[in-house]
Amino acid sequence: MFAAFLLALREGLEAALVIGILLGALEKFQLQSLKRSVWLGVAAAAGGSLVVGWGLNALGMELEGQAEAAFEGVMMLLAAGLLTWMILWLHRQGAAIRRELEHDVRVETQRRGAWGLFLVAFTAVGREGIELAIFLLAARFAAGALPTWGGALLGLALAAFVGWVIFTTTYRLNLKRFFQLSNVLLLLFAAGLVAHGVHEFNEIGWIPAVVDPLWDIGHLLPESTFIGQVLTALFGYNANPSLTEVIAYLMYVASIGILVLPKPSWRVART
């Protein structure tokens, strides 16, 4: 549930910031009459994301046996790939988001008017929504449907409230710190998705396990306990993983973490 909550909060807050920047740009350029186009684009993007999520969920529920395991493995690796892209993109381009969106508003309103602004809102929010649909589907495989959807709804509700607070009061959320913290948690969550995907491929023979299990601590911390379920859903915990699962997890954390995690203060000072 917490994994779904964090994902929905992260994506929902990004969408809320996008909407706020678009509306703020219209105020800045004195184009308040086009705000309706923004909200229509947001509504269309939300509806499209729900359709994509429903379709992927229905497809996964209809598969059985090896086909189901293959589908789950592919979706988990796809979600991990999207998370990785999002983390890296925000790490490098986050500071330029406002400038890029305001530029898009200026260009599209001059070129296509209300329709162009609708497309900007639809594209920006729709990307977040489709990504979230894929993330939640992968989370559902690990944690179950009810905790996933419950956590997602709570995350979206909080994201909407925080977005409203940011753009209607003088309060300002420290977005840099928020994204740094969420990057660490999402990095570990994505690593867990990679390990879960490799586990599914181990089961159907697409990736050899090599050593299975590498260890077994199920008697110390069973996956069926509350803590075990939380660690499984959030960080990809497996009481008896294969060698390739462990290698995939560690390689992902090492390779992506070195790019996005905050550098030690002595390294920053020397640089």
Side-chain angles (χ1 to χ4, degrees):
M1 186 173 184
F2 181 73
F5 172 81
L6 176 64
L7 288 166
L9 175 61
R10 171 73 177 248
E11 293 292 320
L13 185 55
E14 287 182 31
L17 292 174
V18 166
I19 296 168
I21 291 171
L22 292 177
L23 296 177
L26 291 178
E27 291 281 352
K28 180 179 179 180
F29 303 142
Q30 297 183 351
L31 297 170
Q32 293 89 339
S33 61
L34 295 177
K35 287 184 178 180
R36 182 171 178 270
S37 298
V38 172
W39 290 115
L40 287 175
V42 170
S49 301
L50 288 174
V51 171
V52 170
W54 176 83
L56 291 173
N57 187 65
L59 178 61
M61 292 178 65
E62 291 178 1
L63 298 175
E64 296 180 354
Q66 286 194 343
E68 182 180 10
F71 178 77
E72 291 185 10
V74 169
M75 292 306 301
M76 287 181 174
L77 293 181
L78 176 60
L82 288 173
L83 268 177
T84 304
W85 176 86
M86 179 181 71
I87 292 170
L88 293 176
W89 182 79
L90 279 174
H91 179 70
R92 296 172 181 171
Q93 304 294 334
I97 292 176
R98 178 180 295 274
R99 293 195 303 271
E100 292 176 0
L101 283 173
E102 289 184 349
H103 176 266
D104 289 343
V105 169
R106 185 189 298 273
V107 170
E108 292 299 332
T109 51
Q110 292 176 352
R111 183 182 303 172
R112 301 188 183 94
W115 173 245
L117 194 59
F118 171 89
L119 289 178
V120 172
F122 177 81
T123 303
V125 177
R127 179 180 67 84
E128 308 291 348
I130 292 175
E131 286 179 359
L132 181 59
I134 295 174
F135 298 155
L136 293 180
L137 183 62
R140 183 182 69 82
F141 292 144
L146 186 59
T148 298
W149 307 134
L153 290 175
L154 289 175
L156 290 174
L158 181 57
F161 174 74
V162 171
W164 175 79
V165 168
I166 290 174
F167 292 103
T168 57
T169 71
T170 57
Y171 175 75
R172 291 293 181 268
L173 176 67
N174 189 331
L175 294 177
K176 182 178 179 181
R177 294 296 182 188
F178 171 79
F179 285 129
Q180 284 179 345
L181 176 60
S182 63
N183 270 352
V184 174
L185 294 176
L186 291 178
L187 172 68
L188 297 176
F189 180 68
L193 290 178
V194 170
H196 274 307
V198 171
H199 174 77
E200 296 295 332
F201 291 157
N202 285 163
E203 289 189 348
I204 59 178
W206 287 11
I207 295 178
V210 183
V211 178
D212 189 18
L214 183 60
W215 63 69
D216 189 349
I217 57 173
H219 59 289
L220 297 176
L221 182 57
E223 296 173 37
S224 57
T225 63
F226 174 75
I227 296 178
Q229 290 176 351
V230 170
L231 293 177
T232 298
L234 196 56
F235 302 126
Y237 170 72
N238 187 353
N240 53 349
S242 68
L243 176 61
T244 48
E245 276 186 73
V246 174
I247 291 176
Y249 191 100
L250 294 178
M251 287 184 63
Y252 180 88
V253 171
S255 59
I256 305 301
I258 198 172
L259 297 175
V260 301
L261 295 181
K263 304 298 186 295
S265 57
W266 66 268
R267 289 188 57 186
V268 175
R270 186 176 66 179
T271 303

